[in-house]
Amino acid sequence: RDMQETGTSAHRLRDIIAGTVVGQAVYNGVGSALSTVKNGLVGAVEAGFKYNAEMEKMNATWTTLTGSAGKADKMTQSIVHLSNTLGQSVDVTDELAQQFYHVFDNQPETEKLTKSFLTMGDAIGLSGDRLTQVGMDFTHMLSASTLHLGELNQITDAFPMFGEALLKY
């Protein structure tokens, strides 16, 4: 009988240890999952605050450029829409739009050129930094009303289709 009780006790001890290990693992897993969810929520809230701050800053810049809060709001919405549609960052899209707005001083032309640059940049696979630089070269060319060979080379190096279209024209 002692042998049987010892075997049963050993069996119970093994079950208790196994249950404790499993219970601890489940507890740690649940705790870890809750921690992950909490961290995700905190990160999402922080990202939301950051996004709102960036939108407010962009809207303030466009209010200065356009001279109207209504026009600024339309430009901001347009930039976010173009960015989402064409898969480029809001920062790059905003930078291009600001460059082109300085030349055209109106929303429709600015949107059209910004969309064209984003589309060509996506087709060629240009980085955001390279796209911004080519946009600046193009803006200088438009602002000066003269075409310098260096600027033309920069643009045609980035967008081969631009040189082809220029030759056809």
Side-chain angles (χ1 to χ4, degrees):
R1 184 168 187 212
D2 288 337
M3 195 65 137
Q4 190 177 20
E5 283 181 13
T6 303
T8 303
S9 295
H11 183 67
R12 284 186 189 152
L13 183 60
R14 188 186 71 209
D15 288 347
I16 290 169
I17 291 171
T20 302
V21 170
V22 169
Q24 187 63 39
V26 168
Y27 175 77
N28 287 343
V30 168
S32 177
L34 289 175
S35 177
T36 301
V37 168
K38 177 187 167 211
N39 290 341
L41 289 173
V42 168
V45 168
E46 288 174 357
F49 284 136
K50 183 179 178 188
Y51 179 80
N52 286 341
E54 288 176 7
M55 290 298 106
E56 286 176 16
K57 179 182 172 190
M58 186 168 58
N59 208 22
T61 300
W62 280 103
T63 299
T64 301
L65 285 173
T66 62
S68 157
K71 288 180 182 178
D73 188 48
K74 287 180 184 176
M75 283 303 300
T76 301
Q77 288 176 17
S78 171
I79 288 164
V80 170
H81 174 74
L82 286 173
S83 177
N84 291 335
T85 302
L86 298 170
Q88 190 56 264
S89 77
V90 172
D91 292 341
V92 170
T93 306
D94 184 41
E95 180 63 33
L96 284 172
Q98 285 184 38
Q99 291 173 11
F100 301 146
Y101 193 87
H102 284 296
V103 174
F104 296 115
D105 201 30
N106 73 60
Q107 184 174 352
E109 291 299 318
T110 298
E111 285 176 343
K112 186 188 304 183
L113 193 53
T114 302
K115 182 178 181 181
S116 296
F117 263 70
L118 292 173
T119 302
M120 289 188 298
D122 182 52
I124 302 294
L126 293 182
S127 70
D129 290 341
R130 180 73 173 120
L131 191 57
T132 301
Q133 182 58 50
V134 174
M136 190 163 299
D137 291 339
F138 194 75
T139 301
H140 286 157
M141 183 182 72
L142 291 173
S143 297
S145 300
T146 58
L147 180 61
H148 296 279
L149 184 58
E151 291 167 341
L152 180 61
N153 286 339
Q154 285 284 344
I155 294 165
T156 56
D157 283 347
F159 300 131
M161 69 281 277
F162 183 82
E164 294 167 12
L166 194 57
L167 286 173
K168 287 179 185 176
Y169 179 75

